[in-house]
Amino acid sequence: MKASEVLNDLKRRFPNEPEYLQAVEEVITTIEDEYNKHPEFERYNLIERLCLPDRIFSFRISWVDDKGKVQNNMGYRIQHNNAIGPYKGGIRFHASVNQSILKFLAFEQTFKNSLTTLPMGGGKGGSDFNPKGKSDMEVMRFCQAYVAELWRHIGADTDVPAGDIGVGGREVGYMYGYYKKMARENTGTFTGKGLEFGGSLVRPEATGYGNVYFLLNMLATRGIDIKGKKVAISGSGNVATYTAKKLLSLGAKVVTMSDSNGTIYVPEGISEEQLDYIFKLKNIYRGRIKEFAEEYDCEYFDGERPWKVKCDIAMPSATQNELDGDDAKMLLENGVIAVSEGANMPSTPDAVRQFLEAKILYAPGKAANAGGVSVSGLEMSQNSQKFSWSAEDVDAKLQSIMKNIHEQCVKYGAEADGTVNYVKGANVAGFMKVAKAMMAQGII
Ligand code: NDP
């Protein structure tokens, strides 16, 4: 089948999976030219095989809350593609999780992992469990119940989960502990582990730092200095806070952060002390970003996203489709020069189109946020060597990987007018490697 026919067919077969179809459409439309240069791909129906996940596990998770009531959630693991290495991708705990969202994330992950230059296939998992307001013991019992179902399907050379929204060091620790008890092995299945039991230095920082490294590579193509630039960040979780930390160390001004309830606005830029407050607020007290506004008496936009404020750079780092066409229009009117995505698919197709047409520096998540999974790959290497590297070593490797991803985007995304279409670059580069591996391995 031709690439465009595959897309129409998927739309017919999965009409209730909008996020999955959105992610697939973006990739198919950008790789079509390259795909058509290889008639052997069509003969092997490669694109359809690459769009459909290898397998999906879905299961009920029953657990007991603090009041003794039995709760039931749905759990999933999507093993999308393992042509270039074991399935690899995070686990998301959020009330909105469903099969469409996890299929889009697993699909994106396959291309992202291909770009990292490391041998990792793509996967993703999660549950509609809502961690907000749950006690530590409830979170632990839920993690154990999730892994009780999942453990048979994962392993250090099979499928290696990690964190994502609602899953950080605490949750990975509980899941890894239970996995180890069931599997009776200590081989490092799961990344994002604590440093005391096989975790890698710089893994918590890696997605945010990596996004800033990618941004620096993009800015360098136009001779722009990051110092003094105003950056709007969304989210206040793992990715957002470490993005902000690295930006502050480089002399940029972080003017916004947010959560699902609203946005704080600090026109002169958040200080290191204030960022430390946000870090503790979110990770230790598990509070809301509004409390920052009360503590520091700054502007708070209740129920709003950050994109209306004047900024030079936008780094959406919360969730999918959090920046729409109207937001993109506003950012462009306010003179934004770069958008670098920490979250997965945060910009809607309308927003992406506007960024590309305006020829600003626009980096899609699968390139810009690949630093997290890259250091996860480095954690896997350290686990199999039974050895750990210094923070300097890991950070240097992260910088070099992000530079390499940037180069691949430029190679496949360079336009005749001298600009770079990073969407096309990332998709074609990611696709070609997986496609060649799939061709070499036959119809399986
Ligand atoms: P966290 O759970 O640590 O933080 C998520 C942040 O986003 C929170 O501030 C949360 O606010 C906000 N958020 C979540 N859902 C929504 C929503 N529907 N609307 C508005 N805000 C929302 O997650 P991460 O920082 O790990 O992940 C953020 C993004 O980065 C995701 O898209 C994830 O897939 C992506 N990513 C993460 C990687 C990692 O290493 N962790 C790697 C690569 C990509 P609230 O507290 O109110 O829910």
Side-chain angles (χ1 to χ4, degrees):
M1 267 201 276
K2 295 237 171 294
S4 51
E5 290 167 1
V6 171
L7 180 60
N8 288 334
D9 196 47
L10 293 174
K11 284 182 178 168
R12 186 186 55 75
R13 290 159 78 182
F14 305 106
N16 300 321
E17 299 189 352
E19 294 87 0
Y20 168 65
L21 293 172
Q22 182 184 335
V24 167
E25 181 156 12
E26 185 214 274
V27 170
I28 287 190
T29 49
T30 47
I31 63 164
E32 204 164 3
D33 290 348
E34 193 64 32
Y35 182 81
N36 289 338
K37 289 183 199 156
H38 300 268
E40 69 279 13
F41 288 172
E42 198 181 324
R43 259 198 318 277
Y44 280 72
N45 205 354
L46 188 108
I47 195 73
E48 189 180 21
R49 283 196 289 135
L50 182 47
C51 289
L52 294 169
D54 288 355
R55 63 190 68 79
I56 299 176
F57 300 107
S58 61
F59 41 90
R60 172 176 49 76
I61 306 166
S62 296
W63 57 283
V64 182
D65 70 16
D66 286 349
K67 297 193 183 91
K69 278 177 81 178
V70 177
Q71 302 285 346
N72 297 302
N73 288 98
M74 281 304 294
Y76 308 87
R77 182 73 183 165
I78 316 275
Q79 296 185 336
H80 190 85
N81 186 293
N82 67 351
I84 60 175
Y87 303 105
K88 177 88 196 87
I91 290 182
R92 177 176 292 191
F93 292 163
H94 194 270
S96 65
V97 162
N98 58 36
Q99 199 159 290
S100 170
I101 289 178
L102 295 180
K103 273 174 76 179
F104 116 65
L105 288 164
F107 176 80
E108 289 273 299
Q109 194 82 44
T110 301
F111 294 85
K112 181 190 310 191
N113 292 3
S114 165
L115 284 171
T116 65
T117 69
L118 303 172
M120 298 182 289
K124 201 85 188 187
S127 169
D128 57 5
F129 171 74
N130 178 5
K132 288 198 186 96
K134 300 288 188 301
S135 72
D136 196 43
M137 285 296 115
E138 287 177 324
V139 169
M140 183 183 77
R141 285 198 292 278
F142 177 79
C143 289
Q144 293 177 340
Y146 177 77
V147 171
E149 271 296 326
L150 189 67
W151 75 273
R152 282 172 215 283
H153 308 300
I154 58 177
D157 293 317
T158 322
D159 182 352
V160 184
D164 190 76
I165 292 179
V167 177
R170 173 181 67 164
E171 291 76 14
V172 168
Y174 290 149
M175 286 192 276
Y176 181 62
Y178 204 73
Y179 172 80
K180 203 161 49 66
K181 181 180 171 74
M182 302 303 281
R184 307 208 174 177
E185 58 169 43
N186 218 329
T187 49
T189 307
F190 282 93
T191 57
K193 301 184 291 297
L195 286 179
E196 306 78 9
F197 51 98
S200 174
L201 286 160
V202 192
R203 176 60 190 92
E205 296 88 345
T207 309
Y209 281 19
N211 191 8
V212 176
Y213 296 149
F214 194 90
L215 172 72
L216 294 178
N217 278 284
M218 285 203 298
L219 293 175
T221 65
R222 297 191 182 176
I224 302 171
D225 190 356
I226 185 83
K227 204 158 187 258
K229 293 286 173 297
K230 289 191 166 179
V231 187
I233 296 180
S234 62
S236 46
N238 171 274
V239 179
T241 45
Y242 285 110
T243 300
K245 188 170 176 193
K246 180 54 76 177
L247 286 168
L248 258 57
S249 75
L250 295 169
K253 290 186 196 322
V254 173
V255 293
T256 66
M257 293 188 76
S258 70
D259 62 20
S260 51
N261 292 114
T263 295
I264 52 158
Y265 180 41
V266 184
E268 66 284 5
I270 290 167
S271 68
E272 296 210 5
E273 180 217 310
Q274 289 173 330
L275 183 59
D276 199 42
Y277 175 90
I278 293 176
F279 190 83
K280 288 196 186 116
L281 180 69
K282 301 305 276 192
N283 291 289
I284 300 173
Y285 308 117
R286 302 197 182 264
R288 311 304 302 154
I289 200 76
K290 188 179 181 187
E291 293 166 49
F292 176 97
E294 287 157 5
E295 176 78 15
Y296 291 101
D297 196 22
C298 76
E299 256 189 284
Y300 176 69
F301 308 137
D302 194 28
E304 289 186 55
R305 305 187 286 210
W307 315 125
K308 67 178 183 187
V309 310
K310 196 163 167 45
C311 63
D312 304 299
I313 296 165
M315 301 182 85
S317 307
T319 193
Q320 65 275 356
N321 292 328
E322 55 161 316
L323 194 165
D324 64 19
D326 291 340
D327 298 324
K329 192 162 174 277
M330 229 164 349
L331 282 167
L332 290 166
E333 278 170 7
N334 279 331
V336 77
I337 53 173
V339 177
S340 202
E341 296 182 342
N344 286 307
M345 207 169 73
S347 307
T348 64
D350 185 17
V352 175
R353 183 187 52 73
Q354 293 189 49
F355 292 147
L356 292 177
E357 279 174 13
K359 303 261 179 196
I360 60 159
L361 297 167
Y362 166 63
K366 65 169 80 66
N369 72 31
V373 74
S374 300
V375 174
S376 277
L378 302 179
E379 183 172 330
M380 288 162 72
S381 303
Q382 293 170 79
N383 291 163
S384 54
Q385 284 182 26
K386 314 244 180 276
F387 191 72
S388 42
W389 301 331
S390 69
E392 292 72 28
D393 272 357
V394 178
D395 192 49
K397 286 183 169 68
L398 172 62
Q399 292 193 40
S400 144
I401 289 169
M402 297 316 293
K403 184 164 185 279
N404 188 301
I405 295 173
H406 183 265
E407 281 164 6
Q408 293 180 68
C409 291
V410 172
K411 179 175 169 194
Y412 289 102
E415 303 275 19
D417 62 4
T419 60
V420 179
N421 180 334
Y422 288 90
V423 178
K424 182 175 172 203
N427 286 341
V428 174
F431 164 74
M432 285 308 286
K433 185 170 164 192
V434 180
K436 284 181 188 165
M438 286 175 72
M439 290 298 289
Q441 292 168 21
I443 313 292
I444 48 173

